Amino acid sequence: MKYFCISFLLIFFVVVEVVSAYDVPKLVDLPFDDSDLSFSYYHKSCPEAERIIHNKVKEWVTKDYTLAPALMRLHFHDCSVRGCDASILLNHKGSERWANASKSLRGFEVIDEIKEEIEKKCPKTVSCADILTAAARDATVAAGGPFWQVPYGRKDGCVSLAKEAELVPMGHERITDLVEFYQSKGLNVLDMVVLAGAHTIGRSTCGSLQHRLYNYKGTGKPDPTINPQYLNYLRRKCRWTSEYVDLDANSPKKFDVQYFKNIQHKMGLLQTDQMLYFDSRTSPLVNALSSQPEVFKHQFAAAMVKLGNIQDYLSDENGEIRVNCNSVNKY
């Protein structure tokens, strides 16, 4: 018992030391401009908004649990281009939604149904950007992840370009490229690793893995960083490129730290997942988070707050409250 307590304390202090090195803010201290976003933004104009969003997300995820990670990913893609302005929801030729990088995105029908319900209660009041941000939070909770407060007041953007969506990370980038991408959004290395932990749930198309399984970097051989047993498993699961495979082979329906344990054992599904363990900037965080589920959940909530607060102020000035999330207003 004495040995256990000493070991636990050593692990705890290692985690604190590694994580604190990134100047992690507390949830209550996370910065955002109160003049733009507010926790009470809809308290008077649409007090039922959060309840409607919560109930609809819970209803859809209960029917199809894969919609939880799908909504989280949809939110990430939205905030990664022009900030969190619901530009990913605009459905017209040449929009982000039509980009190759967006082909596997799902959950649009959930947002549409939420918007339709809210419009009945509070017409022309709640933005699609705010709906998507809150829906991602409620989807996380529905999957067993942490809760965090969402500030509101985002505007819906009027510009959506497919070429900009192609810049969103897709799982084959170098770690340096990922670090630079996240930094350009105001996020740090810790945020990047923690948000990658969302791959504890969800799935990927087998088509995105073919190069790792059969022809890594043109060698005609598999990626040598893949665990041989895991490689055999993936080859059996991915007989067709149109098939799907879980991002976490061990606990795909549970929001936990198994993702980090997997990549410690060379079982990262995407190339960028596995490279987190081999890069000196990220491997200490992987090791720390793999044994600290509560730390992971806390930091995930903090990183999601920062992600949801990314705004393009030029877009915001020209933004609107869409009546239909799929198209800009016609007046």
Side-chain angles (χ1 to χ4, degrees):
M1 183 67 181
K2 181 179 179 181
Y3 175 76
F4 171 80
C5 292
I6 293 173
S7 298
F8 176 82
L9 287 171
L10 286 173
I11 292 173
F12 175 78
F13 286 123
V14 168
V15 171
V16 170
E17 183 177 354
V18 170
V19 172
S20 61
Y22 289 88
D23 298 321
V24 183
K26 297 178 181 178
L27 282 176
V28 294
D29 297 331
L30 287 171
F32 65 89
D33 190 338
D34 288 335
S35 65
D36 297 313
L37 301 178
S38 168
F39 294 120
S40 60
Y41 194 83
Y42 296 121
H43 280 191
K44 293 183 179 180
S45 60
C46 194
E48 295 186 65
E50 283 206 314
R51 179 187 61 80
I52 293 172
I53 296 170
H54 170 78
N55 289 344
K56 285 295 181 182
V57 169
K58 184 178 180 180
E59 178 185 324
W60 278 88
V61 172
T62 299
K63 291 186 292 186
D64 180 2
Y65 81 94
T66 67
L67 282 171
L71 286 168
M72 294 161 65
R73 184 176 176 227
L74 190 60
H75 175 55
F76 176 80
H77 274 248
D78 180 43
C79 296
S80 293
V81 180
R82 294 179 175 266
C84 308
D85 66 346
S87 54
I88 190 64
L89 303 180
L90 290 174
N91 191 13
H92 60 77
K93 189 174 181 179
S95 68
E96 294 170 34
R97 189 165 169 175
W98 283 51
N100 288 329
S102 304
K103 284 184 176 179
S104 59
L105 293 180
R106 300 169 57 236
F108 297 101
E109 69 277 19
V110 181
I111 305 302
D112 288 342
E113 189 169 299
I114 294 171
K115 178 62 171 175
E116 184 178 353
E117 185 72 17
I118 288 180
E119 281 298 305
K120 294 176 183 176
K121 299 284 186 179
C122 323
K124 303 177 183 179
T125 302
V126 181
S127 69
C128 300
D130 279 344
I131 291 173
L132 180 53
T133 302
R137 185 270 312 276
D138 291 341
T140 303
V141 174
F147 174 89
W148 62 90
Q149 285 190 305
V150 173
Y152 297 106
R154 298 164 188 80
K155 292 293 192 298
D156 294 326
C158 299
V159 177
S160 183
L161 303 173
K163 64 180 181 181
E164 294 183 348
E166 302 296 351
L167 300 176
V168 180
M170 295 299 292
H172 50 73
E173 296 79 11
R174 298 180 308 158
I175 296 299
T176 296
D177 295 332
L178 287 180
V179 170
E180 291 176 353
F181 176 84
Y182 276 81
Q183 287 179 339
S184 72
K185 307 300 175 184
L187 304 175
N188 59 32
V189 175
L190 175 61
D191 298 323
M192 181 184 80
V193 175
V194 167
L195 290 175
H199 290 174
T200 183
I201 55 175
R203 57 188 187 171
S204 175
T205 59
C206 287
S208 64
L209 308 175
Q210 294 305 298
H211 70 291
R212 293 195 75 203
L213 303 184
Y214 299 103
N215 189 28
Y216 184 65
K217 294 185 176 180
T219 62
K221 298 179 181 180
D223 184 343
T225 66
I226 304 178
N227 180 306
Q229 290 182 318
Y230 188 48
L231 175 64
N232 291 334
Y233 165 80
L234 291 176
R235 283 179 165 176
R236 291 196 306 272
K237 291 286 290 185
C238 289
R239 297 185 185 277
W240 304 98
T241 58
S242 58
E243 294 289 330
Y244 286 91
V245 61
D246 292 321
L247 288 160
D248 176 355
N250 289 306
S251 57
K253 297 182 181 180
K254 187 176 180 181
F255 194 98
D256 55 19
V257 295
Q258 187 61 48
Y259 163 81
F260 298 107
K261 294 179 180 180
N262 287 344
I263 58 181
Q264 285 178 319
H265 293 92
K266 299 182 178 181
M267 293 174 60
L269 185 69
L270 303 180
Q271 182 177 322
T272 49
D273 290 334
Q274 193 54 60
M275 291 310 296
L276 291 176
Y277 190 58
F278 296 122
D279 191 285
S280 61
R281 293 165 291 185
T282 53
S283 59
L285 292 168
V286 170
N287 290 329
L289 294 168
S290 68
S291 60
Q292 296 295 314
E294 292 308 313
V295 172
F296 167 54
K297 288 185 176 182
H298 174 83
Q299 297 305 330
F300 187 83
M304 287 294 281
V305 170
K306 291 174 68 176
L307 176 69
N309 289 347
I310 298 174
Q311 295 185 77
D312 182 329
Y313 290 96
L314 184 61
S315 295
D316 193 56
E317 289 178 3
N318 300 314
E320 61 180 10
I321 306 297
R322 286 183 220 143
V323 175
N324 183 321
C325 292
N326 296 282
S327 59
V328 297
N329 294 334
K330 303 194 184 306
Y331 53 86

